[in-house]
Amino acid sequence: GGGRTAVYQNPTATIAGSGSITIDNGTTVNLENATLIAVDTENVGRLEIGFEASEVAIDYTVAAEATIRGAFSQATVGEFAVHLGGLQQSTEYDRLEVIGLARLNGTIEVQLIDSFLPKVGDTFQVLTATSVVGTFDQIVTIDETNMFDFDITAAYTPTEVILKIDDIFLAADFDRDDDVDGADFMILQRGLGLTMQSDNTNGDADGDGIVGATDFSIWQSQVGSTFAAMAASVAVPEPTSAWLLVFAVMAVKSRRQI
């Protein structure tokens, strides 16, 4: 186990056999668009759908669909990653089709791609199955531009999982009042050094679970802005040098306390 494996779609072949597939803990498997896996699949690692390969690199932030013809189960430590780049299923956002039982657990990670800004109330059918059992324990949200963060819920029916956008806001708007200002900086200051964060309310602007210098950089790029202004791609004012000095002193104090 370990590392990343890209599974290419082949029009003349599928992954099939009498056994099963396990995505090991620490391993990421990416399925190309239209890939068919015709055996039972267990996800103890990370499963992503969609990638595009060129002569020089592979882009893993691509919306696509894939099919598992057999049972799919995800362990508590497993992660299922979904890309949202628009409202069109399979071409703008991911879908996993399970022709069999889908037993859910663990984490679903939802990432905005292609500068897509969803609206409150938008829904995305990201998984269908003959039968769905269980739920994801945790939803993690990421915006590849680090401009926005969002609240999302998962609705479960006997045959599908549907994601719904509940709220969307600036990534550095830690108090969720539709602007980025000194109050958000104070939240970031208090949260500096925290780990295992599941949202931005303690200063984790980039969604990596850690409150640190990158989050300050995001706050720095957004300070003085409102959600409406950023959504309309209005230029963001530069931070003052005073804020930079305060953060530098704050970081030094934090390191000494560790």
Side-chain angles (χ1 to χ4, degrees):
R4 183 190 290 269
T5 300
V7 179
Y8 289 81
Q9 183 268 346
N10 187 325
T12 63
T14 62
I15 299 175
S18 58
S20 62
I21 291 175
T22 298
I23 303 172
D24 293 331
N25 190 9
T27 297
T28 297
V29 170
N30 291 80
L31 303 179
E32 190 179 22
N33 185 47
T35 295
L36 170 62
I37 298 178
V39 294
D40 292 349
T41 303
E42 180 183 17
N43 181 25
V44 187
R46 179 180 174 87
L47 175 63
E48 298 183 14
I49 300 173
F51 66 88
E52 287 184 355
S54 67
E55 294 181 355
V56 295
I58 298 179
D59 180 5
Y60 291 106
T61 57
V62 175
E65 66 176 351
T67 301
I68 295 175
R69 193 168 64 209
F72 171 70
S73 62
Q74 179 163 295
T76 303
V77 296
E79 298 177 352
F80 173 47
V82 174
H83 304 112
L84 304 182
L87 299 176
Q88 186 65 41
Q89 188 180 65
S90 304
T91 58
E92 294 182 329
Y93 74 86
D94 294 339
R95 181 177 77 104
L96 176 64
E97 178 188 23
V98 180
I99 306 174
L101 173 67
R103 189 177 298 276
L104 306 180
N105 211 325
T107 298
I108 180 169
E109 179 187 282
V110 185
Q111 181 179 11
L112 299 183
I113 61 172
D114 298 335
S115 299
F116 174 54
L117 182 61
K119 297 178 181 179
V120 173
D122 284 347
T123 59
F124 308 86
Q125 183 195 53
V126 296
L127 185 147
T128 61
T130 306
S131 178
V132 173
V133 175
T135 63
F136 295 110
D137 296 328
Q138 178 179 226
I139 301 176
V140 174
T141 58
I142 299 174
D143 174 21
E144 68 175 353
T145 67
N146 285 329
M147 290 179 63
F148 299 99
D149 199 353
F150 53 103
D151 288 335
I152 194 167
T153 53
Y156 302 87
T157 77
T159 59
E160 62 186 350
V161 178
I162 300 174
L163 302 179
K164 179 177 177 291
I165 302 294
D166 294 325
D167 195 9
I168 187 159
F169 36 86
L170 295 176
D173 181 15
F174 306 129
D175 58 6
R176 311 283 180 87
D177 65 350
D178 290 328
D179 64 13
V180 177
D181 54 18
D184 300 298
F185 180 82
M186 296 303 294
I187 293 172
L188 175 62
Q189 182 181 20
R190 291 193 297 268
L192 185 66
L194 291 176
T195 61
M196 300 181 68
Q197 300 300 292
S198 60
D199 58 30
N200 78 334
T201 54
N202 287 318
D204 179 22
D206 62 358
D208 68 350
I210 302 170
V211 182
T214 301
D215 304 303
F216 171 72
S217 296
I218 296 171
W219 175 89
Q220 172 186 327
S221 71
Q222 296 186 352
V223 63
S225 296
T226 64
F227 174 81
M230 289 291 281
S233 299
V234 175
V236 180
E238 290 295 324
T240 64
S241 58
W243 284 119
L244 299 175
L245 178 60
V246 170
F247 185 78
V249 172
M250 179 185 73
V252 169
K253 288 183 178 179
S254 177
R255 285 197 296 270
R256 288 176 178 173
Q257 292 170 355
I258 294 174

